[in-house]
Amino acid sequence: MFEAQMAQAALLKQIIESIRELITEATFEVSGTGMMLQAMDSSHVSLVALNLRSDGFQLFRADRPFSMGMNLNHMAKMLKCAGKDDTLTMRADEANDLVTFLFESPGNERLAEFELKLMDITSENLGIPDAEYSATVSMPSAEFQRIVKDLGSIGDTVEITVTKDDVRFAASGDIGNATIKCRQLLDTEKPEDRTLIEMVEPVNLTFALRYLINFSKATSLAPSVTIKLSTEMPVVVEYKLSDIGYVRFYLAPKIED
Amino acid sequence: SRNQWGLMDFYGCL
């Protein structure tokens, strides 16, 4: 038996909306520690890792580890039916190939029950080691989204260069070139407005912009985004979900022949 | 031109 209650159905709806273009099917692994999902896009170039800790839920019960394979587009269709302020309760047990989403209005006057068919998904889970990164950049998530969208209109790839003073994003295309340089900015009223650069060694990496633009669909989930880079390694783009977990995106770099 | 690496070039399957 699995049962979990979230104060805001809108949070899960937003999470699924932000990842469903990258991955259409995924298996949620449920256990006493929470709900986790790891899935690669069909080209095996990028990966989504979602972690929702059990202590971030209002109620969380998982008697034993349990896998729930879901079509994320179908899940999104149901989550769209939740009211803005509805609570969400998820229920599933191993006897049925169904997960139930219960949407309850704040005054308890409306209770909607949606049952989603679960599916068997064969997926390859990657073992991603905890690594030290050469450079870690935290910046406002809206700023990162603007940069990748702006550069996406110039070129297909972005070259990211981190030095101790700044982080540069550069793109080139048929119409010309663009470089956006962000300096470290620590003296801000709100911590989420900061741009923080932690650099062990300078890095310079190139990535396909369309994936980064896709990752930035998660902007509404967190005011700040953290980008972790090491030479010739996949980049990690992390959005922290306050009090409950994170969504991380991994993207393999482009490397010169 | 640049090569697009896949994630399996970096991480092993579990």
Side-chain angles (χ1 to χ4, degrees), chain A residues 58-246:
Chain A
Q58 289 182 319
L59 176 156
F60 195 94
R61 181 183 156 198
D63 295 341
R64 61 176 68 105
F66 185 53
S67 297
M68 298 192 297
M70 289 189 239
N71 177 306
L72 299 189
N73 290 323
H74 299 169
M75 193 179 173
K77 271 187 190 180
M78 292 191 170
L79 292 171
K80 270 184 190 164
C81 302
K84 190 168 68 69
D85 298 313
D86 284 3
T87 60
L88 164 68
T89 305
M90 288 175 274
R91 273 188 206 134
D93 64 60
E94 281 153 293
N96 302 319
D97 287 333
L98 290 169
V99 58
T100 305
F101 299 111
L102 287 165
F103 308 132
E104 211 166 333
S105 63
N108 294 68
E109 69 280 6
R110 185 176 192 270
L111 183 69
E113 187 173 324
F114 287 75
E115 288 182 330
L116 177 67
K117 288 176 188 166
L118 295 177
M119 51 205 286
D120 279 326
I121 298 167
T122 44
S123 56
E124 290 152 300
N125 267 343
L126 297 185
I128 302 169
D130 275 331
E132 295 288 321
Y133 286 86
S134 300
T136 303
V137 177
S138 297
M139 61 162 59
S141 56
E143 175 60 25
F144 177 68
Q145 183 172 45
R146 182 180 168 193
I147 290 169
V148 292
K149 279 190 174 172
D150 286 353
L151 294 182
S153 64
I154 305 298
D156 296 331
T157 61
V158 60
E159 187 182 348
I160 305 178
T161 308
V162 186
T163 63
K164 67 178 168 50
D165 297 318
D166 57 42
V167 50
R168 287 167 206 228
F169 301 86
S172 302
D174 294 341
I175 64 164
N177 314 307
T179 306
I180 299 166
K181 184 166 84 178
C182 299
R183 290 202 185 90
Q184 175 148 278
L185 178 65
L186 301 175
D187 187 20
T188 59
E189 238 172 74
K190 292 185 226 156
E192 58 263 32
D193 291 337
R194 283 180 199 153
T195 297
L196 176 68
I197 301 169
E198 292 170 279
M199 192 207 74
V200 181
E201 52 188 349
V203 288
N204 174 267
L205 284 154
T206 300
F207 299 100
L209 270 164
R210 67 185 182 95
Y211 291 97
L212 296 177
I213 293 167
N214 218 317
F215 300 168
S216 75
K217 288 184 196 298
T219 299
S220 61
L221 291 171
S224 171
V225 63
T226 302
I227 305 153
K228 298 178 196 177
L229 301 137
S230 284
T231 301
E232 298 197 354
M233 284 301 289
V235 61
V236 185
V237 178
E238 179 178 271
Y239 296 85
K240 284 199 171 67
L241 310 169
S242 58
D243 303 328
I244 188 160
Y246 59 76

Side-chain angles (χ1 to χ4, degrees), chain A residues 44 125 127 252 254-255 257, chain B residues 2-5 7 10 12 14:
Chain A
H44 290 195
N125 267 343
K254 286 181 166 285
I255 297 180
D257 257 338
Chain B
R2 285 170 180 273
N3 258 344
Q4 176 62 67
W5 291 77
L7 286 172
F10 302 94
L14 286 180

Side-chain angles (χ1 to χ4, degrees), chain A residues 21-52:
Chain A
E21 274 183 46
L22 221 49
I23 49 170
T24 46
E25 291 175 355
T27 302
F28 284 84
E29 302 292 347
V30 169
S31 72
T33 56
M35 285 179 83
M36 290 177 76
L37 173 156
Q38 194 204 81
M40 277 188 282
D41 76 292
S42 57
S43 60
H44 290 195
V45 166
S46 70
L47 178 142
V48 178
L50 168 69
N51 188 358
L52 303 173

